[in-house]
Amino acid sequence: CGVPQHGPDAGAFRAQAAPVADAEEARANSQVGSKTPPEIYQRQTLGSDAIVFFLISNIAKTSILLLLFIVGAVLMPKIFIFFLIAYFFGIIIGTLLIYNNFQFEINEKGIEIQTGVIHKTEVSLPFDSIENVNIERTLGDRFIGTSRISIETAGSALGNVTNGVQDKQSRAEAYLPGLPKAKAEKIHDLLIDASDGIFGN
């Protein structure tokens, strides 16, 4: 390999490398060296697919109001057109506000999610508190091609009492909706690995 094994230069080469005490220490050093920090996601919005998700979600939440507008069309057609335009204008503005104010970040410590237009809510979950990460796809998600990640922690909600001991149940502490399937799977795997203390490349 080009390295002198004998002669005056051999001793200088061997002196540069610190001796390894035993095989266990060598294995520990190699394992530590193989771990890399989790991939960093700077604070960002969910992505353009989430706009469609929030738009459909807002229309679904106000479907009763839309039905009232349709009934009003029969009784007062001219006024109905004005309210229908105002309704869709309000839905679009509301969707963009919700989208721009729904942001998340994944750093070395955990995941942070900020939501809310008027009332701001920020959830910070360290990796070691995460119990489970699920990818959920409702019928609406499959229709528009998005996925939702729910993050469960060891919650304070308690389950059934068995032999005098109450079982702790995990509960969904945070979620990331409207993600493309590939991105959802990537974040899912990252959070699972990070919560287990195993960081991928």
Side-chain angles (χ1 to χ4, degrees):
C1 62
V3 176
Q5 302 296 322
H6 305 284
D9 294 331
F13 170 75
R14 285 193 293 269
Q16 292 174 1
V20 178
D22 54 24
E24 291 295 328
E25 183 179 345
R27 280 195 296 272
N29 289 337
S30 65
Q31 288 175 358
V32 170
S34 66
K35 284 189 177 182
T36 57
E39 183 177 349
I40 301 299
Y41 282 77
Q42 300 291 343
R43 186 170 292 271
Q44 59 184 272
T45 56
L46 295 168
S48 58
D49 290 343
I51 296 177
V52 180
F53 170 83
F54 286 129
L55 181 63
I56 294 175
S57 178
N58 286 339
I59 292 175
K61 290 176 182 177
T62 57
S63 57
I64 295 178
L65 187 59
L66 186 59
L67 288 174
L68 291 176
F69 286 155
I70 293 173
V71 172
V74 178
L75 302 176
M76 298 173 289
K78 293 181 180 179
I79 297 178
F80 163 74
I81 294 174
F82 170 77
F83 278 110
L84 189 64
I85 293 173
Y87 168 77
F88 280 109
F89 183 76
I91 286 290
I92 292 171
I93 294 298
T95 296
L96 293 176
L97 286 173
I98 293 171
Y99 168 76
N100 287 323
N101 287 278
F102 198 119
Q103 301 180 346
F104 76 98
E105 175 183 356
I106 301 176
N107 52 42
E108 298 89 346
K109 297 179 180 179
I111 181 170
E112 297 178 3
I113 301 173
Q114 179 180 302
T115 60
V117 178
I118 298 174
H119 177 70
K120 298 284 187 181
T121 301
E122 187 158 343
V123 177
S124 182
L125 300 177
F127 290 132
D128 57 7
S129 71
I130 296 175
E131 292 286 323
N132 199 16
V133 183
N134 299 312
I135 296 179
E136 302 168 355
R137 303 193 76 208
T138 63
L139 182 61
D141 285 320
R142 291 194 293 271
F143 178 73
I144 62 177
T146 60
S147 300
R148 167 189 172 118
I149 290 179
S150 65
I151 305 167
E152 297 179 355
T153 62
S156 58
L158 298 176
N160 299 327
V161 177
T162 306
N163 296 329
V165 179
Q166 240 175 349
D167 300 325
K168 284 189 176 180
Q169 294 179 336
S170 295
R171 63 178 179 180
E173 192 74 24
Y175 67 95
L176 295 173
L179 293 170
K181 188 172 182 288
K183 186 173 183 179
E185 290 173 348
K186 188 175 181 180
I187 294 176
H188 168 273
D189 294 344
L190 169 62
L191 294 177
I192 289 292
D193 288 346
S195 65
D196 289 339
I198 305 170
F199 302 135
N201 294 324

